[in-house]
Amino acid sequence: MRGLIDALRRERVLPRAELAGLIREISDGDMPYLFDAARETARSRFGNRIYTRGLIEFTNYCRCDCYYCGIRRSNSRAERYRLTQAQILACCAEGYALGFRTFVLQGGEDPYFTDDRLCAVVSAIRKNHPDCAVTLSVGERSHESYKRLFEAGAERYLLRHETADPAHYGRLHPASLSAAARQACLFDLKAIGYQVGSGFMVGSPYQTVENLVADLRFLQRLRPDMIGIGPYITHAETPFAGQKNGSLALTLRLIAVLRLMFPHALLPATTALGTIHPEGREMGLKAGANVVMPNLSPTDVRALYALYENKICTGEEAAQCIGCLRRRIESAGYRVAVGRGDVKRES
Ligand code: 5AD
Ligand code: FES
């Protein structure tokens, strides 16, 4: 196994079967070796800097019906909310004062947010905070729409491919959605000039190791700037209620593998990772992740943006989470980077 880890570190690629072997068979005894290799790779590129992005979950209305997602259209028990432009700007102002220089606007595919409305929000943020970057994460839209949003000042876009295998994609989504359409959006975004983030869930229902290998290979084709992965976490009000959660160990292993394959990528230690284990995000950093995205949404809506159960930072402590996370990062031996955190992509 160590030979495979060394080869991946050196070459950044492995044949399909070897990659599958590494994911499936690495022993507990070899995990520290994998994590050390990943951490050293991150350190050689980023030092001990961790990048932060302020996450604003601005609407939980969604026209999609993804089987795994707690805010899917058919969940009639989800209490819906939508922030106004003024509320979004207030979140940014608060985030700015806390030191954030990137705002990630994430939402369901909410038809209320037409291009005109969303462009207005993006331009207003750029005008209020010219030294900040705006990242959008609002799902599949037309090329024209992506272009307008880019021109309004959004420079980055997050859209997980979810699973690269079309058949597996079909088991997680209704027939109106397809892996091909999703992937086409990602290539569109790149062609327009966005810095692009993609990613997938670990341990989603029916997922096989071969699916994960397909995910890694898709990412090699896409060459995104950011790769977000987290464990699948079940939600009672979905068709997947009662399915098993994804595993912490497998997620960490994949973060490390991604770091070796993509030394320059931004790899967030995600909220889902922090939800599945109290120290999940720190463990993610120690497996080679280098980004955290604390929640800047108003505290009263955080619990409503429930993609999955028991999401962290939704309780009484929510407002203090950011300071607490910063301390946790520092006590894990890292330092929070200042500025927009643009990371130059290798070409
Ligand atoms: N568990 C974990 N992650 C989820 N996501 C959606 N639903 C779940 C869930 N139940 C992820 C998807 C989506 C991102 C915003 O959150 O990958 O792209
Ligand atoms: Fe649209 Fe989850 S189904 S955000």
Side-chain angles (χ1 to χ4, degrees):
M1 269 308 149
R2 296 191 178 194
L4 283 183
I5 295 168
D6 292 340
L8 187 61
R9 182 178 186 176
R10 213 172 40 239
E11 315 287 338
R12 301 187 193 172
V13 287
L14 278 182
R16 208 177 280 270
E18 270 87 344
L19 214 42
L22 189 60
I23 296 172
R24 191 183 284 127
E25 282 152 31
I26 187 167
S27 65
D28 288 350
D30 281 334
M31 293 293 269
Y33 190 80
L34 175 66
F35 293 152
D36 285 350
R39 222 177 20 244
E40 278 167 35
T41 302
R43 199 173 288 273
S44 70
R45 176 67 182 78
F46 302 102
N48 63 354
R49 279 191 304 278
I50 299 298
Y51 297 90
T52 58
R53 277 82 173 91
L55 180 65
I56 302 169
E57 295 159 337
F58 69 100
T59 173
N60 74 350
Y61 284 87
C62 191
R63 65 190 164 91
C64 298
D65 225 5
C66 308
Y67 301 152
Y68 45 83
C69 181
I71 63 168
R72 62 199 300 271
R73 181 184 65 211
S74 297
N75 180 6
S76 55
R77 302 179 81 158
E79 187 184 326
R80 305 287 167 171
Y81 75 92
R82 176 184 290 134
L83 303 185
T84 62
Q85 174 165 323
Q87 285 175 308
I88 298 171
L89 292 174
C91 292
C92 294
E94 203 182 322
Y96 191 90
L98 289 164
F100 290 92
R101 295 295 177 267
T102 293
F103 302 113
V104 181
L105 300 189
Q106 183 166 92
E109 294 192 12
D110 179 354
Y112 173 85
F113 282 100
T114 56
D115 292 347
D116 284 347
R117 291 197 174 108
L118 204 50
C119 284
V121 174
V122 171
S123 330
I125 298 174
R126 294 302 308 271
K127 181 160 160 277
N128 289 358
H129 307 288
D131 54 338
C132 292
V134 175
T135 304
L136 290 175
S137 177
V138 288
E140 296 180 32
R141 298 173 81 100
S142 68
H143 183 94
E144 188 50 37
S145 170
Y146 286 151
K147 195 149 175 284
R148 283 193 58 193
L149 292 163
F150 185 74
E151 282 158 5
E155 294 163 279
R156 305 176 183 160
Y157 204 102
L158 308 182
L159 183 75
R160 291 189 179 178
H161 69 275
E162 308 298 0
T163 175
D165 180 86
H168 185 223
Y169 199 95
R171 302 187 78 172
L172 302 183
H173 301 92
S176 54
L177 300 171
S178 74
R182 190 89 176 166
Q183 294 172 17
C185 285
L186 283 160
F187 287 104
D188 252 6
L189 289 160
K190 268 192 89 168
I192 291 168
Y194 281 97
Q195 294 167 42
V196 167
S198 193
F200 55 91
M201 288 176 288
V202 177
S204 58
Y206 317 113
Q207 184 180 63
T208 63
V209 169
E210 284 66 34
N211 293 151
L212 290 169
V213 171
D215 289 325
L216 298 176
R217 293 173 76 94
F218 169 74
L219 292 168
Q220 279 181 321
R221 268 204 304 130
L222 178 67
R223 308 207 307 130
D225 302 275
M226 182 184 269
I227 303 170
I229 69 168
Y232 163 75
I233 303 174
T234 198
H235 190 292
E237 301 296 333
T238 67
F240 288 162
Q243 290 269 6
K244 269 193 10 225
N245 288 346
S247 105
L248 171 71
L250 184 57
T251 308
L252 295 173
R253 192 179 306 176
L254 281 155
I255 289 176
V257 166
L258 285 167
R259 172 54 69 208
L260 296 180
M261 294 176 74
F262 302 93
H264 302 271
L266 292 160
L267 297 183
T270 55
T271 307
L273 197 55
T275 297
I276 202 118
H277 188 284
E279 264 109 57
R281 283 174 302 181
E282 287 89 337
M283 292 178 189
L285 300 180
K286 290 181 172 162
N290 65 338
V291 180
V292 288
M293 294 192 185
N295 197 324
L296 295 181
S297 312
T299 44
D300 56 325
V301 303
R302 284 191 200 178
L304 301 180
Y305 200 85
L307 306 182
Y308 44 78
E309 290 168 1
N310 304 318
K311 190 179 139 204
I312 52 173
C313 302
T314 59
E316 305 237 297
E317 79 303 339
Q320 295 89 50
C321 276
I322 292 161
C324 152
L325 185 60
R326 192 179 285 266
R327 276 193 302 281
R328 289 166 68 155
I329 291 170
E330 283 163 7
S331 67
Y334 296 93
R335 173 165 78 72
V336 174
V338 291
R340 290 176 22 136
D342 285 293
V343 170
K344 207 172 155 333
R345 184 164 14 133
E346 76 196 297
S347 56

